[in-house]
Amino acid sequence: MLRSHVGERHEGTITGLARHGLYITLDAWWVEGLVHVSRLPDASELSEDGRAMVSRSARYELGDRVAVTIASADPVKARIDFELEVRRRRGRGSS
């Protein structure tokens, strides 16, 4: 389904966190894909409590709204890969 949409930019929500990356569910379709940790802007690690992916320049938490580009879609493996649009670090109380 998404194979013909590779390269498109879409909005979504972070719905999962893992050591290997961020799981994003797209608004346009109810599908989830992965932003692999190697595709994040700089070295990122899962926080000790597992509630955030943190780097020097950004912090990503469950429920955060993000923009992604569809990098690849493999219907045989049922795998969708995204690239995250870069954003600045956000602090408590800022949007």
Side-chain angles (χ1 to χ4, degrees), residues 16-89:
L17 298 166
R19 292 188 197 282
H20 57 269
L22 307 170
Y23 288 94
I24 312 295
T25 299
L26 297 181
D27 295 346
W29 304 280
W30 193 250
V31 296
E32 185 177 67
L34 176 71
V35 176
H36 191 269
V37 69
S38 65
R39 291 181 184 246
L40 293 174
D42 52 18
S44 299
E45 294 183 353
L46 193 60
S47 64
E48 277 189 35
D49 63 7
R51 295 181 181 196
M53 183 69 76
V54 183
S55 73
R56 289 180 291 117
S57 64
R59 177 181 180 90
Y60 302 98
E61 298 177 357
L62 286 174
D64 281 355
R65 302 283 299 148
V66 293
V68 296
T69 299
I70 300 171
S72 66
D74 186 336
V76 174
K77 294 181 181 178
R79 179 177 171 153
I80 303 166
D81 292 309
F82 298 133
E83 289 187 19
L84 191 66
E85 300 241 341
V86 180
R87 70 175 191 184
R88 296 172 104 71
R89 182 179 201 102

